[in-house]
Amino acid sequence: MSYRLGVDVGGTFTDLLLINEQTGQTYTAKVPSTPHDSSVGVLNGVARICDESGVDPKQIQRVMHGTTVATNAVLTGKGAKVGLVTTKGYEQTLQVARSFCPGGLGGWVSFVKKPLLAPLELTIGASERIDAKGKVVTSIDEDTLRTDLKALHAKGEVEALTICLINAYINGEHEERVREIASEIFVDVPISISCDVVPEMQEYERTETTVVNSYVRPEVSKYVHNLQNALVDRMGEDVQLSILRSDGGLASGRASADSPVNLLMSGPAGGVSGAIYFCSRAGYDNILTFDMGGTSTDVALIQNSKAKVRRETIVGDVRVRAPSVDVRTVGAGGGSIAFVPELTKALRVGPESAGAVPGPAAYMKGGTEPTVCDANVVLGYLPSDVQLGGAMAIDREAAVTAVTKVADGMGIDVMEAAEGIIKIANEAMFGALRLVSVEQGYDPRDFALVGFGGAGPLHANALGILTEAWPVIVPPGPGVLCAYGDATTQVQDEAARTYLTLAQDTTTQMLLKDLNELTAKASESLIADGIAQADLIVEYQADLRYAGQAFEISVEFTTDELEERGLAVLTDPFDNEHEKLFTFKLGNGHEILMIRAVVKAKSGSIAERRLGEATLSLADCKVQDTRFYYDGAWHEGAIYERSKLHTKLVVPGPAIVSEMDSTTVVLPGYEANIDSVGNLLINPCK
């Protein structure tokens, strides 16, 4: 038997999913995250899931991992000290940035710029110049460069070095030569060059992206190498470690350590991949996803079973030119703390979270502040005796005591306070869902809504009411769906180049030639990791705009479509998308800004998950009677064991469906059933 393991590290829990590739059988586990060192939580989880499943760790051949190491390094400001080599005269690129101060007209008065990730005192200018067409205008002054690099090295502060020269996106020979020289002096320091990391136009964005790559590279590299070595010790030399990229694909451990800027949104991308995996198999190709964990909620829009991908990644106030799934995040999670400001007496929820330590009051780990989780316990949505299959103790009295703080602060009943906390959290998530749907020109009623994460199914039915997106889908193993996404996605890499050509000035054959060159470049890292050329799948993208515009829209296409329809395969979809977003299209003046090749490896097949026999009655699936508080009144209902439900049963609300990793609430007036894939579908009663 061979197995693959998906691992997702969240702010509160580390989720694991072990899949038998021959039978499709799955095993799940949740362990507390270890913020001080994420790998400790991962290894604790590996030990638990192997112990509970009886699987020998040496039978696990692939480990797919979504990680927040790069994200946390940026958010906490604990990355490496970065040295920067630019073209002489461009040393202030990061300082000048886009000359934009956030805020209103007087924003510049109160704006305090954060320290540069590559400070000016660690920046030097190289005497060289390449023009906008890639021609060498001034050769490198190597003697002066060596002197300046030695002086920079003598400061003893540089932990990672970045090289970003003007116009290197067209011709990278100077950057490569500067790297050769620098490597003679900075022997043990990782060096990143922009023509490798992000060979795209726009000087500031290219510099910032390459600097961020250097900023997180030592931390990510250390983490990946340590985890790889620990996994080899437990699973043997043949185990393959892959890390989830921000765009939803996987990268090998080696590629991840070299280009960690592509991992900044690694965590949220896993849930999107997992949702697509289950929903597409059930015939739901257009979905809205919301992943509610302990700290935050991530939402995304999926159309035709493909996630929308942005050509930039934003973490905190850092914006880099790296592809990422278009996920929006709000500070509303199960651990989000509710409070009543003394001045306004208006209930607030989040963004501060109780996290894994001390956690919600109901978890009895030292937390005393009221959280969304505590409100769910008080209302009866999270029964204290069946949470996580009974594996985690829940103290309802502690939750009531915590929520009473809010009730006393507002002068209302504790049940009213708890319901208010839930409603505010739901509205925050609804606002995020509108960002990816209504504000992008999509009607949420044309989509199904997918709720997952440890807390997502608790709120899924309520979010369905707000969005009117039906059915509401809760996939199998919703609390570990990110880990499922990690385990079922594909290894990929991409190569891009700035094109800056009017569509009318190029031909199909010229474009095909350039795309073939990019395909070869994008394939290099996958082939280096031992993937055969025959196992590679290629997709193509182009970024277009109308001449004179400052933004672009991405279009996907294949070479077969390009050969059949010519450049209309690019311009027609662009016009249609532009009209959807901005209500008009021009029909001419199309400028191809960027082209790219995305190369994916064929993933090993996994046997489809099989549901249990459809012989049990609904009464057989019942765990116990229960009641919960909704819309100002108590409702009598029942708790059902999800693993026993099958396609011939309908669960009428009010009800709670319990499983190891999550709890689903079915509200009064709604009903749930299981489809052939194993998804739990919630709809209004007929």
Side-chain angles (χ1 to χ4, degrees):
M1 291 289 186
S2 63
Y3 294 82
R4 67 174 65 179
L5 178 67
V7 183
D8 178 72
V9 178
T12 307
F13 289 105
T14 294
D15 303 328
L16 299 97
L17 180 98
L18 186 63
I19 305 176
N20 185 318
E21 295 184 333
Q22 279 73 44
T23 67
Q25 184 177 10
T26 61
Y27 306 91
T28 60
K30 292 176 82 77
V31 296
S33 294
T34 50
H36 65 283
D37 184 354
S38 300
S39 64
V40 174
V42 173
L43 296 174
N44 289 342
V46 170
R48 173 175 291 186
I49 201 168
C50 288
D51 181 59
E52 293 179 352
S53 65
V55 173
D56 184 346
K58 295 191 182 302
Q59 291 181 286
I60 301 175
Q61 297 182 346
R62 303 178 185 178
V63 177
M64 286 84 158
H65 178 25
T67 177
T68 56
V69 173
T71 313
N72 292 340
V74 173
L75 291 176
T76 60
K78 295 181 180 178
K81 281 284 189 71
V82 180
L84 174 62
V85 182
T86 69
T87 299
K88 192 170 184 178
Y90 287 82
E91 295 89 346
Q92 305 280 346
T93 296
L94 292 181
Q95 181 68 36
V96 174
R98 284 295 173 198
S99 301
F100 170 74
C101 294
L105 292 176
W108 58 273
V109 176
S110 58
F111 177 57
V112 178
K113 191 177 182 68
K114 288 192 175 182
L116 302 179
L117 297 184
L120 288 173
E121 61 269 22
L122 299 181
T123 301
I124 62 174
S127 179
E128 63 81 40
R129 187 59 187 260
I130 290 176
D131 67 17
K133 294 184 178 180
K135 180 182 177 182
V136 176
V137 176
T138 303
S139 298
I140 303 172
D141 184 341
E142 296 190 4
D143 293 336
T144 303
L145 177 63
R146 277 193 172 87
T147 300
D148 292 343
L149 285 171
K150 288 178 180 177
L152 181 61
H153 183 267
K155 293 182 178 181
E157 298 182 48
V158 176
E159 298 170 334
L161 187 66
T162 297
I163 300 168
C164 189
L165 306 178
I166 191 73
N167 294 326
Y169 68 90
I170 284 186
N171 182 353
E173 65 177 78
H174 277 190
E175 283 193 348
E176 292 168 355
R177 178 55 184 156
V178 172
R179 177 171 59 182
E180 291 177 5
I181 297 171
S183 62
E184 299 170 3
I185 301 166
F186 292 86
V187 179
D188 297 322
V189 171
I191 301 174
S192 300
I193 62 175
S194 73
C195 63
D196 280 350
V197 176
V198 53
E200 300 181 16
M201 64 179 292
Q202 297 184 319
E203 195 65 20
Y204 166 67
E205 285 78 5
R206 186 161 51 89
T207 305
E208 176 81 341
T209 301
T210 314
V211 165
V212 171
N213 192 75
S214 293
Y215 185 73
V216 301
R217 189 171 174 181
E219 185 74 14
V220 172
S221 181
K222 175 183 175 183
Y223 174 77
V224 170
H225 290 149
N226 289 346
L227 181 59
Q228 176 77 57
N229 292 335
L231 293 175
V232 167
D233 289 341
R234 296 193 183 195
M235 302 176 183
E237 293 288 342
D238 294 334
V239 65
Q240 298 176 4
L241 173 64
S242 300
I243 308 294
L244 193 70
R245 294 161 46 107
S246 302
D247 58 7
L250 287 168
S252 68
R254 178 195 58 78
S256 301
D258 291 343
S259 298
V261 74
N262 292 313
L263 310 180
L264 290 175
M265 292 294 285
S266 171
V272 172
S273 298
I276 293 173
Y277 179 83
F278 282 109
C279 292
S280 62
R281 282 162 173 73
Y284 298 101
D285 296 322
N286 298 326
I287 58 176
L288 292 169
T289 71
F290 80 99
D291 173 7
M292 186 178 182
T295 306
S296 61
T297 296
D298 303 316
V299 304
L301 181 143
I302 314 298
Q303 191 172 35
N304 298 323
S305 293
K306 285 194 174 183
K308 294 179 71 69
V309 175
R310 291 184 293 180
R311 301 315 304 176
E312 64 179 11
T313 301
I314 304 171
V315 176
D317 61 350
V318 173
R319 184 186 299 260
V320 299
R321 189 64 62 82
S324 64
V325 173
D326 188 8
V327 170
R328 308 299 171 93
T329 302
V330 291
S336 295
I337 295 174
F339 62 98
V340 180
E342 185 66 31
L343 181 61
T344 64
K345 298 294 183 180
L347 177 60
R348 302 283 298 276
V349 178
E352 185 180 353
S353 172
V357 179
Y363 284 3
M364 297 182 293
K365 292 184 177 180
T368 58
E369 296 300 316
T371 66
V372 172
C373 174
D374 293 314
N376 277 312
V377 172
V378 171
L379 294 170
Y381 300 157
L382 198 56
S384 58
D385 49 355
V386 295
Q387 165 68 357
L388 298 183
M392 176 176 285
I394 298 292
D395 187 342
R396 187 177 188 277
E397 290 304 315
V400 171
T401 301
V403 175
T404 300
K405 294 181 181 179
V406 169
D408 292 345
M410 299 181 69
I412 59 177
D413 176 75
V414 67
M415 301 308 297
E416 187 179 353
E419 195 163 28
I421 292 171
I422 298 302
K423 286 182 177 180
I424 289 177
N426 289 342
E427 288 292 342
M429 291 183 282
F430 178 46
L433 286 165
R434 284 179 59 87
L435 285 177
V436 297
S437 58
V438 176
E439 296 193 18
Q440 298 289 334
Y442 297 97
D443 187 338
R445 292 172 295 186
D446 296 332
F447 294 76
L449 179 66
V450 186
F452 54 95
L458 283 167
H459 299 254
N461 199 160
L463 264 292
I465 295 171
L466 291 173
T467 59
E468 298 183 66
W470 304 105
V472 169
I473 303 173
V474 180
V480 295
L481 191 71
C482 289
Y484 218 121
D486 297 341
T488 55
T489 192
Q490 298 167 289
V491 176
Q492 73 178 53
D493 201 357
E494 67 174 52
R497 59 168 285 195
T498 299
Y499 216 57
L500 271 183
T501 304
L502 288 173
Q504 64 197 44
D505 294 337
T506 189
T507 66
T508 299
Q509 294 308 313
M510 290 168 57
L511 186 55
L512 283 170
K513 176 178 177 295
D514 294 328
L515 290 172
N516 288 334
E517 293 176 0
L518 290 178
T519 301
K521 184 177 180 181
S523 303
E524 288 176 358
S525 64
L526 278 70
I527 293 173
D529 291 325
I531 299 172
Q533 182 81 45
D535 292 332
L536 300 182
I537 304 169
V538 187
E539 298 175 354
Y540 298 103
Q541 300 171 357
D543 297 343
L544 281 79
R545 65 185 181 187
Y546 293 126
Q549 284 185 323
F551 63 91
E552 63 277 349
I553 295 173
S554 292
V555 173
E556 295 185 352
F557 62 98
T558 65
T559 52
D560 290 341
E561 293 172 335
L562 182 61
E563 290 175 341
E564 179 182 343
R565 297 175 50 199
L567 294 176
V569 77
L570 306 180
T571 57
D572 288 350
F574 170 81
D575 285 339
N576 295 335
E577 184 69 13
H578 195 281
E579 186 175 32
K580 178 187 292 184
L581 291 172
F582 307 109
T583 73
F584 76 95
K585 60 182 178 182
L586 299 181
N588 54 40
H590 302 93
E591 185 175 35
I592 304 173
L593 185 66
M594 298 284 304
I595 58 172
R596 67 182 61 85
V598 180
V599 179
K600 300 181 180 182
K602 295 178 183 176
S603 57
S605 60
I606 302 175
E608 291 293 333
R609 180 176 179 270
R610 296 184 179 91
L611 297 180
E613 293 294 326
T615 57
L616 298 177
S617 68
L618 189 60
D620 294 329
C621 303
K622 181 177 172 180
V623 177
Q624 65 186 54
D625 291 323
T626 191
R627 69 173 189 155
F628 59 71
Y629 192 87
Y630 171 70
D631 201 18
W634 286 99
H635 298 267
E636 301 296 326
I639 300 174
Y640 299 94
E641 176 59 48
R642 179 167 179 174
S643 63
K644 296 180 180 180
L645 297 176
H646 52 78
T647 57
K648 295 181 180 180
L649 297 178
V650 175
V651 178
I656 292 173
V657 180
S658 178
E659 54 192 307
M660 187 285 291
D661 55 325
S662 194
T663 301
T664 303
V665 174
V666 183
L667 296 173
Y670 298 85
E671 61 186 20
N673 66 283
I674 297 286
D675 69 10
S676 60
V677 178
N679 295 310
L680 186 67
L681 309 180
I682 302 174
N683 283 291
C685 290
K686 298 176 182 178

mmCIF file of all heavy atoms in Angstrom, residues 325-350:
data_model
loop_
_atom_site.group_PDB
_atom_site.id
_atom_site.type_symbol
_atom_site.label_atom_id
_atom_site.label_comp_id
_atom_site.label_asym_id
_atom_site.label_seq_id
_atom_site.Cartn_x
_atom_site.Cartn_y
_atom_site.Cartn_z
ATOM 1 N N VAL A 325 -4.028 32.697 -5.523
ATOM 2 C CA VAL A 325 -5.480 32.543 -5.617
ATOM 3 C C VAL A 325 -6.119 33.797 -5.038
ATOM 4 O O VAL A 325 -5.682 34.331 -4.017
ATOM 5 C CB VAL A 325 -5.938 31.291 -4.846
ATOM 6 C CG1 VAL A 325 -7.453 31.209 -4.802
ATOM 7 C CG2 VAL A 325 -5.365 30.030 -5.492
ATOM 8 N N ASP A 326 -7.159 34.299 -5.711
ATOM 9 C CA ASP A 326 -7.809 35.545 -5.284
ATOM 10 C C ASP A 326 -8.651 35.277 -4.035
ATOM 11 O O ASP A 326 -9.858 35.075 -4.097
ATOM 12 C CB ASP A 326 -8.685 36.093 -6.416
ATOM 13 C CG ASP A 326 -9.218 37.492 -6.093
ATOM 14 O OD1 ASP A 326 -8.783 38.074 -5.084
ATOM 15 O OD2 ASP A 326 -10.068 37.987 -6.847
ATOM 16 N N VAL A 327 -7.967 35.262 -2.901
ATOM 17 C CA VAL A 327 -8.604 35.000 -1.610
ATOM 18 C C VAL A 327 -8.648 36.302 -0.820
ATOM 19 O O VAL A 327 -7.661 37.031 -0.748
ATOM 20 C CB VAL A 327 -7.816 33.931 -0.818
ATOM 21 C CG1 VAL A 327 -8.331 33.827 0.606
ATOM 22 C CG2 VAL A 327 -7.915 32.581 -1.516
ATOM 23 N N ARG A 328 -9.802 36.612 -0.252
ATOM 24 C CA ARG A 328 -9.931 37.777 0.632
ATOM 25 C C ARG A 328 -10.088 37.271 2.062
ATOM 26 O O ARG A 328 -10.801 36.302 2.309
ATOM 27 C CB ARG A 328 -11.120 38.635 0.236
ATOM 28 C CG ARG A 328 -11.134 39.025 -1.240
ATOM 29 C CD ARG A 328 -9.916 39.847 -1.633
ATOM 30 N NE ARG A 328 -9.849 40.036 -3.068
ATOM 31 C CZ ARG A 328 -10.361 41.092 -3.704
ATOM 32 N NH1 ARG A 328 -10.993 42.027 -3.013
ATOM 33 N NH2 ARG A 328 -10.250 41.192 -5.017
ATOM 34 N N THR A 329 -9.452 37.947 2.988
ATOM 35 C CA THR A 329 -9.421 37.495 4.374
ATOM 36 C C THR A 329 -10.024 38.534 5.298
ATOM 37 O O THR A 329 -9.761 39.729 5.154
ATOM 38 C CB THR A 329 -7.972 37.203 4.808
ATOM 39 O OG1 THR A 329 -7.405 36.224 3.934
ATOM 40 C CG2 THR A 329 -7.922 36.671 6.226
ATOM 41 N N VAL A 330 -10.835 38.088 6.254
ATOM 42 C CA VAL A 330 -11.370 38.961 7.298
ATOM 43 C C VAL A 330 -11.037 38.352 8.654
ATOM 44 O O VAL A 330 -10.911 37.125 8.780
ATOM 45 C CB VAL A 330 -12.900 39.161 7.173
ATOM 46 C CG1 VAL A 330 -13.234 39.986 5.960
ATOM 47 C CG2 VAL A 330 -13.635 37.835 7.140
ATOM 48 N N GLY A 331 -10.899 39.204 9.632
ATOM 49 C CA GLY A 331 -10.535 38.744 10.975
ATOM 50 C C GLY A 331 -11.733 38.232 11.742
ATOM 51 O O GLY A 331 -12.060 38.753 12.815
ATOM 52 N N ALA A 332 -12.405 37.234 11.202
ATOM 53 C CA ALA A 332 -13.550 36.616 11.868
ATOM 54 C C ALA A 332 -13.327 35.112 11.881
ATOM 55 O O ALA A 332 -13.500 34.446 10.867
ATOM 56 C CB ALA A 332 -14.857 36.956 11.146
ATOM 57 N N GLY A 333 -12.931 34.582 13.017
ATOM 58 C CA GLY A 333 -12.703 33.153 13.159
ATOM 59 C C GLY A 333 -13.328 32.661 14.448
ATOM 60 O O GLY A 333 -13.892 33.436 15.228
ATOM 61 N N GLY A 334 -13.216 31.366 14.688
ATOM 62 C CA GLY A 334 -13.790 30.812 15.907
ATOM 63 C C GLY A 334 -13.179 31.405 17.161
ATOM 64 O O GLY A 334 -13.825 31.477 18.204
ATOM 65 N N GLY A 335 -11.927 31.830 17.054
ATOM 66 C CA GLY A 335 -11.248 32.400 18.217
ATOM 67 C C GLY A 335 -11.319 33.906 18.297
ATOM 68 O O GLY A 335 -10.717 34.513 19.203
ATOM 69 N N SER A 336 -12.032 34.569 17.358
ATOM 70 C CA SER A 336 -12.129 36.029 17.369
ATOM 71 C C SER A 336 -12.797 36.507 18.657
ATOM 72 O O SER A 336 -13.844 35.987 19.069
ATOM 73 C CB SER A 336 -12.914 36.528 16.157
ATOM 74 O OG SER A 336 -12.216 36.242 14.960
ATOM 75 N N ILE A 337 -12.206 37.497 19.289
ATOM 76 C CA ILE A 337 -12.660 37.962 20.599
ATOM 77 C C ILE A 337 -13.735 39.037 20.444
ATOM 78 O O ILE A 337 -13.576 39.982 19.663
ATOM 79 C CB ILE A 337 -11.469 38.507 21.419
ATOM 80 C CG1 ILE A 337 -10.491 37.360 21.715
ATOM 81 C CG2 ILE A 337 -11.939 39.161 22.709
ATOM 82 C CD1 ILE A 337 -9.199 37.812 22.385
ATOM 83 N N ALA A 338 -14.824 38.897 21.191
ATOM 84 C CA ALA A 338 -15.903 39.882 21.209
ATOM 85 C C ALA A 338 -15.698 40.822 22.389
ATOM 86 O O ALA A 338 -15.273 40.399 23.476
ATOM 87 C CB ALA A 338 -17.257 39.180 21.318
ATOM 88 N N PHE A 339 -15.997 42.103 22.184
ATOM 89 C CA PHE A 339 -15.824 43.070 23.272
ATOM 90 C C PHE A 339 -16.775 44.240 23.070
ATOM 91 O O PHE A 339 -17.307 44.452 21.974
ATOM 92 C CB PHE A 339 -14.376 43.553 23.333
ATOM 93 C CG PHE A 339 -13.902 44.274 22.096
ATOM 94 C CD1 PHE A 339 -13.887 45.660 22.028
ATOM 95 C CD2 PHE A 339 -13.466 43.555 20.982
ATOM 96 C CE1 PHE A 339 -13.458 46.318 20.883
ATOM 97 C CE2 PHE A 339 -13.032 44.207 19.839
ATOM 98 C CZ PHE A 339 -13.030 45.592 19.783
ATOM 99 N N VAL A 340 -16.975 44.975 24.129
ATOM 100 C CA VAL A 340 -17.861 46.143 24.106
ATOM 101 C C VAL A 340 -17.044 47.360 24.534
ATOM 102 O O VAL A 340 -16.714 47.490 25.712
ATOM 103 C CB VAL A 340 -19.069 45.956 25.046
ATOM 104 C CG1 VAL A 340 -19.976 47.182 24.998
ATOM 105 C CG2 VAL A 340 -19.852 44.700 24.685
ATOM 106 N N PRO A 341 -16.697 48.249 23.595
ATOM 107 C CA PRO A 341 -15.923 49.444 23.956
ATOM 108 C C PRO A 341 -16.682 50.293 24.974
ATOM 109 O O PRO A 341 -17.902 50.454 24.886
ATOM 110 C CB PRO A 341 -15.762 50.183 22.618
ATOM 111 C CG PRO A 341 -15.973 49.133 21.571
ATOM 112 C CD PRO A 341 -16.959 48.171 22.149
ATOM 113 N N GLU A 342 -15.944 50.817 25.933
ATOM 114 C CA GLU A 342 -16.561 51.611 26.996
ATOM 115 C C GLU A 342 -17.245 52.852 26.444
ATOM 116 O O GLU A 342 -18.302 53.272 26.936
ATOM 117 C CB GLU A 342 -15.483 52.019 28.012
ATOM 118 C CG GLU A 342 -16.009 52.751 29.235
ATOM 119 C CD GLU A 342 -16.900 51.873 30.105
ATOM 120 O OE1 GLU A 342 -16.675 50.650 30.137
ATOM 121 O OE2 GLU A 342 -17.822 52.423 30.732
ATOM 122 N N LEU A 343 -16.674 53.452 25.404
ATOM 123 C CA LEU A 343 -17.196 54.708 24.887
ATOM 124 C C LEU A 343 -18.503 54.518 24.121
ATOM 125 O O LEU A 343 -19.485 55.213 24.361
ATOM 126 C CB LEU A 343 -16.153 55.379 23.985
ATOM 127 C CG LEU A 343 -16.556 56.729 23.375
ATOM 128 C CD1 LEU A 343 -16.821 57.756 24.480
ATOM 129 C CD2 LEU A 343 -15.469 57.224 22.424
ATOM 130 N N THR A 344 -18.529 53.558 23.179
ATOM 131 C CA THR A 344 -19.686 53.422 22.289
ATOM 132 C C THR A 344 -20.715 52.412 22.761
ATOM 133 O O THR A 344 -21.879 52.479 22.352
ATOM 134 C CB THR A 344 -19.222 52.998 20.883
ATOM 135 O OG1 THR A 344 -18.614 51.694 20.967
ATOM 136 C CG2 THR A 344 -18.216 53.993 20.321
ATOM 137 N N LYS A 345 -20.302 51.455 23.586
ATOM 138 C CA LYS A 345 -21.180 50.364 24.037
ATOM 139 C C LYS A 345 -21.729 49.551 22.860
ATOM 140 O O LYS A 345 -22.774 48.904 22.964
ATOM 141 C CB LYS A 345 -22.348 50.909 24.861
ATOM 142 C CG LYS A 345 -21.942 51.627 26.138
ATOM 143 C CD LYS A 345 -21.296 50.675 27.133
ATOM 144 C CE LYS A 345 -20.968 51.388 28.437
ATOM 145 N NZ LYS A 345 -20.346 50.479 29.423
ATOM 146 N N ALA A 346 -21.030 49.596 21.735
ATOM 147 C CA ALA A 346 -21.446 48.856 20.540
ATOM 148 C C ALA A 346 -20.608 47.584 20.425
ATOM 149 O O ALA A 346 -19.381 47.630 20.466
ATOM 150 C CB ALA A 346 -21.279 49.706 19.288
ATOM 151 N N LEU A 347 -21.265 46.464 20.297
ATOM 152 C CA LEU A 347 -20.585 45.168 20.252
ATOM 153 C C LEU A 347 -19.646 45.082 19.058
ATOM 154 O O LEU A 347 -20.007 45.400 17.934
ATOM 155 C CB LEU A 347 -21.625 44.041 20.175
ATOM 156 C CG LEU A 347 -21.095 42.602 20.059
ATOM 157 C CD1 LEU A 347 -20.231 42.253 21.263
ATOM 158 C CD2 LEU A 347 -22.268 41.625 19.945
ATOM 159 N N ARG A 348 -18.421 44.623 19.312
ATOM 160 C CA ARG A 348 -17.420 44.413 18.259
ATOM 161 C C ARG A 348 -16.916 42.977 18.344
ATOM 162 O O ARG A 348 -16.829 42.401 19.436
ATOM 163 C CB ARG A 348 -16.233 45.379 18.437
ATOM 164 C CG ARG A 348 -16.609 46.854 18.430
ATOM 165 C CD ARG A 348 -16.864 47.346 17.035
ATOM 166 N NE ARG A 348 -15.680 47.227 16.208
ATOM 167 C CZ ARG A 348 -14.699 48.144 16.165
ATOM 168 N NH1 ARG A 348 -14.776 49.235 16.925
ATOM 169 N NH2 ARG A 348 -13.656 47.989 15.379
ATOM 170 N N VAL A 349 -16.544 42.421 17.184
ATOM 171 C CA VAL A 349 -15.998 41.061 17.127
ATOM 172 C C VAL A 349 -14.741 41.072 16.276
ATOM 173 O O VAL A 349 -14.787 41.443 15.101
ATOM 174 C CB VAL A 349 -17.016 40.063 16.540
ATOM 175 C CG1 VAL A 349 -16.402 38.665 16.458
ATOM 176 C CG2 VAL A 349 -18.282 40.033 17.371
ATOM 177 N N GLY A 350 -13.600 40.659 16.858
ATOM 178 C CA GLY A 350 -12.330 40.600 16.137
ATOM 179 C C GLY A 350 -11.764 41.984 15.889
ATOM 180 O O GLY A 350 -12.326 42.977 16.325
#
